[in-house]
Amino acid sequence: MRTFEELEASKLSKLKNEERDQYIWVDVRTEEEYAEGHIPNTIHIPHDEVEARVTELESYKEKELILVCRSGRRSEYAAEILAEKGFKNLYNFKGGMLEWTGPVKHK
């Protein structure tokens, strides 16, 4: 059973700022990938650290979390971990940063 929903990166790219701000964005790429460019106002927790750092997201447990990576695979993995920890409103950023055409911030 799938524990998260898929949201298309190409569609989310077109959201206005206030619409994007209704979600909590969690970028699960590496430090290097994140530094090269990320969606503004994202929380950065590399996918291989999600389980160890889940407490950093506890205050967002009832919010809608969008998990972002380069293509959508690592974000699926992160969504599964968070679902196991009781998070319910999880979205995989299908297509990832490869399909994102919205604003990008560089570290």
Side-chain angles (χ1 to χ4, degrees), residues 79-94:
E80 293 293 343
I81 290 170
L82 292 175
E84 288 173 11
K85 302 294 183 184
F87 287 77
K88 299 200 183 331
N89 302 310
L90 299 168
Y91 300 93
N92 181 44
F93 195 59
K94 187 175 180 187

Side-chain angles (χ1 to χ4, degrees), residues 5 15 21 23 26 34 39 62-63 65 74 76 86:
E5 291 183 46
L15 294 178
D21 290 345
Y23 299 101
V26 182
Y34 186 78
I39 298 168
E62 302 303 318
K63 307 263 185 197
L65 273 68
R74 289 175 285 176
E76 281 185 12

Side-chain angles (χ1 to χ4, degrees), residues 2-105:
R2 185 154 272 195
T3 56
F4 56 88
E5 291 183 46
E6 301 274 0
L7 293 176
E8 296 283 339
S10 57
K11 290 181 182 175
L12 289 170
S13 295
K14 297 176 179 113
L15 294 178
K16 293 182 172 90
N17 287 340
E18 56 274 4
E19 292 171 309
R20 270 198 309 273
D21 290 345
Q22 74 181 339
Y23 299 101
I24 304 300
W25 297 74
V26 182
D27 193 316
V28 299
R29 296 176 300 150
T30 66
E31 186 67 43
E32 295 78 22
E33 289 172 305
Y34 186 78
E36 288 173 6
H38 56 272
I39 298 168
N41 302 316
T42 55
I43 297 168
H44 180 233
I45 301 177
H47 79 284
D48 58 353
E49 297 177 19
V50 169
E51 191 161 13
R53 295 175 57 186
V54 71
T55 56
E56 295 174 39
L57 299 171
E58 283 293 324
S59 63
Y60 305 112
K61 203 168 197 171
E62 302 303 318
K63 307 263 185 197
E64 295 181 298
L65 273 68
I66 297 179
L67 298 144
V68 179
C69 71
R70 187 178 72 84
S71 65
R73 288 218 185 267
R74 289 175 285 176
S75 51
E76 281 185 12
Y77 170 78
E80 293 293 343
I81 290 170
L82 292 175
E84 288 173 11
K85 302 294 183 184
F87 287 77
K88 299 200 183 331
N89 302 310
L90 299 168
Y91 300 93
N92 181 44
F93 195 59
K94 187 175 180 187
M97 290 301 287
L98 291 174
E99 293 187 22
W100 175 254
T101 59
V104 172
K105 182 177 180 182

